[in-house]
Amino acid sequence: MGPKMDSGISITAEKLIDITARVASKIKVEDREIEKIVGISSFSIAKKSVERVSFWLSESRNSLLYCKLCNKGPFTKRGLYLHLIRLHRNEIKTMLEEELKNEIKAII
């Protein structure tokens, strides 16, 4: 993969941070929101990547939300979302970049 592809992945990952934090925080995200960001052709790659990364970001214990990256919590949905985008933005972006690359490699 050349630098051109990497920068595209980086831009896409940046755009998906917010959505990923929302999914991890159990805040409803419509498919069309993802589609609007990445376009129809990249939708399934983006959706899979968002779902995989969000799985590693949060967990629910006794119906309370906790951050898996730093074990802080409990949080409300909104509290976890704000925590993730304020404190873990770069980690989420890096994780998204990795997942997007893996998804693309699986296709090529």
Side-chain angles (χ1 to χ4, degrees):
M1 270 183 254
K4 185 118 179 111
M5 187 159 171
D6 280 351
S7 73
I9 287 173
S10 178
I11 291 163
T12 303
E14 182 69 43
K15 290 177 180 172
L16 290 171
I17 293 169
D18 187 67
I19 296 255
T20 305
R22 283 170 49 203
V23 171
S25 305
K26 314 287 183 240
I27 296 169
K28 183 117 180 75
V29 173
E30 301 287 339
D31 282 356
R32 68 173 181 273
E33 293 179 70
I34 299 171
E35 198 178 291
K36 202 161 63 178
I37 291 171
V38 298
I40 191 113
S41 59
S42 304
F43 168 75
S44 64
I45 291 172
K47 184 171 171 137
K48 264 189 217 156
S49 299
V50 163
E51 284 170 354
R52 285 222 180 92
V53 171
S54 65
F55 172 80
W56 296 107
L57 297 178
S58 68
E59 65 181 336
S60 193
R61 289 185 236 145
N62 306 324
S63 71
L64 296 168
L65 294 167
Y66 292 83
C67 176
K68 273 192 190 176
L69 296 175
C70 66
N71 289 316
K72 284 208 173 103
F75 290 104
T76 60
K77 290 178 181 186
R78 179 159 173 74
L80 179 60
Y81 165 75
L82 292 171
H83 170 81
L84 289 171
I85 58 168
R86 287 174 182 163
L87 274 79
H88 300 300
R89 186 172 198 85
N90 292 338
E91 290 135 292
I92 295 170
K93 183 178 178 186
T94 303
M95 293 165 83
L96 280 165
E97 287 170 345
E98 286 308 303
E99 275 309 321
L100 289 164
K101 283 178 192 165
N102 292 339
E103 282 299 317
I104 291 164
K105 273 187 203 143
I107 293 168
I108 311 178

